[in-house]
């Protein structure tokens, strides 16, 4: 199985900060990675697919990069509505596997 | 509007069974692979199972293999998850999600399954 290691598990940041979250795959997965945002009590929401493609309707402050085994999600200027938990998900093989999640909290 | 609505969750005793349903609307259901994902209370997301658009291929997480069965009825625009031999550790919110290329979107609102004596 492909293991997805996400870091950090949590971070504190202020509005306007630049935030970077990393996901490492235990083996190469090409660009087969997506990023999701989840707010309390809600279903996850898609942000990025194919490692770097922004899903329609997602603000441009979100961006993704990487390929192979190392991936990053960047929020260029954190907004109040961005405080949430973020997950990566690999689509390269079954079983599909999520990262452990990164909780972005208000500083 | 593209929408997924889960139902069928509830309280069940260990060893019991439950069948979850996911009703799809607003898109051509038969054209997409579908997935079940769960989230235990206070925990992260765990992929559970996937079924291809034409029922040809199914996949399961090791944690549910042999106990859970995914199926779909394309005529009814519905996805199912038959859960047998339920364990306390199966307690979670269960989401269905459509799979597009390299993307799970949309997700349903989730249905809570509680396994407890």
């Amino acid at each position: 199985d492909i293991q997805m290691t996400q870091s950090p598990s949590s971070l504190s940041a202020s509005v306007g900060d630049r935030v970077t979250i990393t996901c490492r795959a235990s083996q190469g997965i090409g660009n087969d990675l997506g990023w999701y945002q989840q707010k309390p009590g809600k279903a996850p929401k898609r942000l990025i697919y194919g490692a770097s493609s922004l899903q329609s309707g997602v603000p441009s402050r979100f961006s993704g990069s990487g390929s192979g085994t190392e991936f990053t999600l960047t929020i260029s200027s954190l907004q109040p509505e961005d405080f949430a938990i973020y997950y990566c998900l690999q689509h390269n093989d079954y079983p599909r596997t999520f990262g452990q999640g990164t909780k972005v909290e208000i500083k | 509007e593209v929408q997924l609505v889960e139902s069928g969750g509830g309280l069940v005793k260990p060893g019991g069974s439950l069948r979850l349903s996911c009703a799809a609307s607003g898109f051509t259901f038969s054209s997409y692979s579908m997935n079940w994902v769960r989230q235990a209370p206070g925990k992260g997301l765990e992929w559970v199972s996937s079924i291809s658009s034409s029922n040809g291929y199914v996949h399961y997480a090791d944690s549910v293999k042999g106990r859970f069965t995914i199926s779909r009825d394309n005529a009814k625009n519905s996805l199912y998850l038959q859960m047998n031999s339920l364990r306390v550790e199966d307690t979670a919110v269960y989401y269905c999600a459509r799979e597009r290329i390299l993307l799970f979107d949309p997700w349903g609102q989730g249905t809570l399954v509680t396994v407890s004596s």
Side-chain angles (χ1 to χ4, degrees), chain A residues 1 31-32 36 38 42-44 46 48-50 55 87 89 91 94-96 98, chain B residues 37 39 43-47 50 59 62 95 99-105 107-108:
Chain A
D1 297 0
N31 293 329
D32 299 342
Y36 297 81
Q38 188 179 33
K42 300 291 188 182
R46 78 292 180 270
I48 302 278
Y49 67 97
Q55 178 64 12
Y87 295 92
L89 168 65
H91 289 258
Y94 290 99
R96 302 286 193 239
F98 288 91
Chain B
V37 176
Q39 187 169 38
K43 303 296 185 183
L45 300 169
E46 179 189 16
W47 173 84
S50 171
H59 301 272
D62 285 346
Y95 297 100
E99 184 159 1
R100 298 163 60 190
I101 296 175
L102 303 180
L103 190 67
F104 281 13
D105 176 62
W107 299 58

Side-chain angles (χ1 to χ4, degrees), chain B residues 12-53:
Chain B
V12 61
K13 289 182 166 53
S17 298
L18 214 53
R19 188 196 197 205
L20 305 183
S21 299
C22 171
S25 60
F27 64 99
T28 305
F29 179 74
S30 59
S31 296
Y32 293 89
S33 294
M34 297 294 296
N35 292 264
W36 288 100
V37 176
R38 69 184 181 183
Q39 187 169 38
K43 303 296 185 183
L45 300 169
E46 179 189 16
W47 173 84
V48 171
S49 183
S50 171
I51 186 168
S52 65
S53 57

Side-chain angles (χ1 to χ4, degrees), chain A residues 47-64:
Chain A
L47 298 175
I48 302 278
Y49 67 97
S52 61
S53 297
L54 194 67
Q55 178 64 12
S56 174
V58 175
S60 58
R61 62 181 179 272
F62 290 93
S63 64

Side-chain angles (χ1 to χ4, degrees), chain A residues 20-105:
Chain A
T20 299
I21 299 167
T22 297
C23 229
R24 286 192 179 87
S26 59
Q27 63 190 71
I29 60 170
N31 293 329
D32 299 342
L33 184 110
W35 290 97
Y36 297 81
Q37 177 194 66
Q38 188 179 33
K39 295 183 178 179
K42 300 291 188 182
K45 172 188 166 185
R46 78 292 180 270
L47 298 175
I48 302 278
Y49 67 97
S52 61
S53 297
L54 194 67
Q55 178 64 12
S56 174
V58 175
S60 58
R61 62 181 179 272
F62 290 93
S63 64
S65 64
S67 66
T69 60
E70 190 111 357
F71 302 87
T72 59
L73 172 70
T74 299
I75 310 172
S76 60
S77 178
L78 199 64
Q79 298 302 300
E81 61 268 29
D82 301 336
F83 292 95
I85 301 177
Y86 294 85
Y87 295 92
C88 62
L89 168 65
Q90 66 83 15
H91 289 258
N92 184 260
D93 198 6
Y94 290 99
R96 302 286 193 239
T97 41
F98 288 91
Q100 303 96 316
T102 296
K103 187 174 185 179
V104 176
E105 298 177 299

Side-chain angles (χ1 to χ4, degrees), chain B residues 8-20 38-41 63-64 67-68 81-94 111-117:
Chain B
L11 175 63
V12 61
K13 289 182 166 53
S17 298
L18 214 53
R19 188 196 197 205
L20 305 183
R38 69 184 181 183
Q39 187 169 38
S63 57
V64 307
R67 301 187 299 123
F68 290 12
L81 186 68
Q82 178 66 44
M83 304 186 296
N84 298 332
S85 303
L86 281 162
R87 304 168 180 168
V88 170
E89 55 265 35
D90 295 319
T91 295
V93 174
Y94 285 73
T111 188
L112 176 63
V113 173
T114 303
V115 185
S116 174
S117 54

